[in-house]
Amino acid sequence: MTAHTHHDDHVHADEDDMISIEEALERVLSYTSVLPGESRPLLESLGGVLAEDIIAGFDIPPLPNSGMDGYAVHADDVAGATEATPIELPVLGEVAAGAVPSAPLAPGGAIRIMTGAPVPAGSGAVVPFEDTDEMERRSAGDDLKKINVRRAPRPGANIRLAGEDIGAGSKVLSRGMTLRPCDIGLAASLGLTHLPLIRKPVVAIISTGDEIMEPGEERRPGAIYNSNAYTIASFVARHGGTPRIIGTARDTEASLNEMLDRAMEADLVLTSAGVSRGDYDVVKDVLASRGHIVNRSVRIKPARPLAFGALKTADGRDIPHIGLPGNPVAVVVAFEVFARPAILAMAGHTSLEKPVVEAVLEDPIRNPDHRRVFARVEVYIDRETGDYRARLSGSQGSGVLTAAAAANGLAICPEDSDGLKPGDVATVQMLDWSEQML
Ligand code: AMP
Ligand code: MG
């Protein structure tokens, strides 16, 4: 029997003492606030939240330019051109990409032009090479002083107008938006090297427990390697925070105090383990002595024991704190449900929800004590019906990390349900969208 089951069985006789997930999350979030803005290089801006509007200082494209390789002409001059009745024009010059034409296009003439090159003033259209006899002239060794136009262009054809993409003075990127790859490209097209973003939360991660040893250390009987710190750090990074693994506190006040002292520059402190009701009270006592801590049971499975609050720094600041459970899978669920939204909120995101799908269950989800169960599942698409289907990804013990590793989603059994059976449809909160899901 695991320690977690032990707690489940003996510690919480009083059901009404549990708070809802919504209440717990609201209270966790009440300790957080949006971090200040900072200037970040473009390539570090992906996924960040913009702290200010970005306004275009000039038109993009800056000048009318050609959308094709071809010949700039006055549309009227070639209005009657067809394959059978081509119209011959003298070629007066050439504009390469990056060049600026020095003179307007004289009536009756054509100017050879490359894609993206500014069209000479007066140009009514660009006739693409394939609508001229350039190829034949070339193969015949012609010097291209003249060109035949074989098809009348629509007026304005293949000319991109100045400001067609972005007009000077228009808002290109909006404050509060989460930056995606094309947004970074837009910023670059405005000539920017940096963007004003909400600062990424620095998240201090502290493990607790006398039984915990670190990867790389020689294995001791009775000890287990610290997986939580690494799971948590990876989730923090995935959700846009900067993880800092501080270390593992022994089950003594001095050790935990020392770790917490080293976490006082962080924006958020995450601890794991030591917060169950049945635990020896070191973690709770120390946290309480350093700030304000709420220790509650939440109507969630796994991850019932949760602590949260704020730690006071020496200079009087409050650092939000979330005390995650110890069991590795409870850590994953508590992170998803409580820590992930806290990190997103601090980074300025307003949409804190994960994508969900409705999936047909292939396995039962038990819910004898009416909590909201987050079952670890593998979701896939049934190619025949197009339905999402979900099967348990392994044993549902709160210490079985392999099942969480094999899962791409958390299937939810609601509090008021006695359980779900195969064939029932469940809401699944997605952890990942793998290639097979698309
Ligand atoms: P606790 O909340 O301290 O009772 O811990 C609950 C369970 O989680 C115990 O089985 C611990 O050994 C385990 N556990 C605690 N911390 C970690 C950790 N950092 N990595 C892996 N397992 C842990
Ligand atoms: Mg412990």
Side-chain angles (χ1 to χ4, degrees):
M1 188 179 271
T2 66
H4 187 81
T5 313
H6 171 82
H7 297 152
D8 283 359
D9 287 347
H10 296 101
V11 179
H12 247 285
D14 183 7
E15 269 222 354
D16 296 331
D17 204 13
M18 282 196 275
I19 60 174
S20 69
I21 291 177
E22 283 71 22
E23 180 184 348
L25 179 58
E26 194 182 310
R27 294 182 64 181
V28 166
L29 293 176
S30 73
Y31 291 94
T32 67
S33 44
V34 179
L35 296 175
E38 67 175 6
S39 175
R40 274 224 294 280
L42 282 194
L43 281 182
E44 292 166 31
S45 298
L46 185 64
V49 175
L50 208 54
E52 291 164 31
D53 289 341
I54 302 296
I55 309 293
F58 53 87
D59 281 337
I60 294 183
L63 295 169
N65 69 90
S66 179
M68 298 280 267
D69 291 341
Y71 288 87
V73 298
H74 288 277
D76 290 351
D77 290 344
V78 290
T82 67
E83 198 79 38
T85 60
I87 293 175
E88 191 179 63
L89 299 175
V91 179
L92 306 176
E94 188 169 33
V95 195
V100 177
S102 46
L105 174 63
I111 286 181
R112 196 164 184 273
I113 191 162
M114 297 299 133
T115 304
V119 294
S123 304
V126 171
V127 179
F129 287 158
E130 48 274 31
D131 290 345
T132 71
D133 62 349
E134 179 175 304
M135 274 253 270
E136 291 89 324
R137 283 180 189 259
R138 267 185 191 286
S139 356
D142 184 282
D143 60 2
L144 290 180
K145 289 265 163 34
K146 290 183 177 145
I147 199 77
N148 270 314
V149 173
R150 293 168 160 167
R151 178 144 49 143
R154 195 172 36 74
N158 303 315
I159 294 180
R160 304 166 177 159
L161 301 178
E164 178 181 280
D165 191 355
I166 299 170
S170 65
K171 193 201 283 186
V172 181
L173 301 171
S174 302
R175 178 174 175 267
M177 71 185 287
T178 301
L179 296 172
R180 297 158 66 223
C182 293
D183 303 320
I184 309 294
L186 279 175
S189 73
L190 295 173
L192 301 175
T193 60
H194 289 69
L195 282 171
L197 297 185
I198 306 292
R199 195 157 64 66
K200 285 168 108 164
V202 173
V203 181
I205 299 159
I206 298 174
S207 315
T208 68
D210 284 340
E211 77 279 30
I212 307 301
M213 62 183 170
E214 300 307 312
E217 285 178 6
E218 200 182 325
R219 223 145 53 79
R220 297 193 307 273
I224 56 169
Y225 283 119
N226 181 357
S227 64
N228 288 349
Y230 298 89
T231 307
I232 295 168
S234 304
F235 271 118
V236 166
R238 165 168 290 188
H239 293 291
T242 303
R244 297 246 189 285
I245 295 181
I246 304 289
T248 299
R250 303 296 120 204
D251 286 326
T252 67
E253 299 200 358
S255 175
L256 184 54
N257 269 316
E258 186 197 324
M259 291 297 160
L260 288 168
D261 285 342
R262 283 158 51 187
M264 293 294 99
E265 298 301 317
D267 299 305
L268 170 69
V269 176
L270 297 179
T271 55
S272 87
V275 294
S276 304
R277 287 287 171 99
D279 274 348
Y280 175 52
D281 281 338
V282 168
V283 174
K284 287 172 269 186
D285 284 353
V286 170
L287 290 169
S289 73
R290 298 180 68 114
H292 176 67
I293 180 180
V294 179
N295 212 271
R296 294 302 298 262
S297 279
V298 184
R299 200 175 296 280
I300 183 172
K301 184 177 183 172
R304 175 155 71 181
L306 185 76
F308 52 89
L311 298 164
K312 270 255 180 287
T313 64
D315 55 354
R317 286 175 302 116
D318 284 320
I319 305 179
H321 161 255
I322 303 174
L324 302 169
N327 278 302
V329 178
V331 164
V332 173
V333 171
F335 186 94
E336 271 293 308
V337 177
F338 301 113
R340 183 187 56 79
I343 291 168
L344 292 182
M346 296 177 82
H349 295 273
T350 47
S351 165
L352 307 180
E353 252 114 75
K354 259 300 182 63
V356 297
V357 300
E358 301 296 315
V360 180
L361 289 175
E362 295 186 353
D363 297 301
I365 300 176
R366 300 191 320 113
N367 193 8
D369 51 356
H370 291 130
R371 290 186 262 159
R372 192 179 305 167
V373 181
F374 288 80
R376 281 68 74 197
V377 295
E378 258 173 280
V379 178
Y380 67 97
I381 295 174
D382 180 332
R383 294 287 164 200
E384 260 163 44
T385 62
D387 288 338
Y388 288 112
R389 300 184 66 85
R391 55 185 168 232
L392 294 180
S393 60
S395 158
Q396 297 294 300
S398 63
V400 182
L401 189 54
T402 49
N408 58 359
L410 298 169
I412 296 169
C413 176
E415 295 85 330
D416 61 5
S417 162
D418 293 330
L420 298 173
K421 10 178 238 315
D424 285 349
V425 173
T427 298
V428 182
Q429 178 166 327
M430 297 307 293
L431 294 166
D432 283 300
W433 288 99
S434 62
E435 302 294 312
Q436 302 90 278
M437 296 290 302
L438 301 174

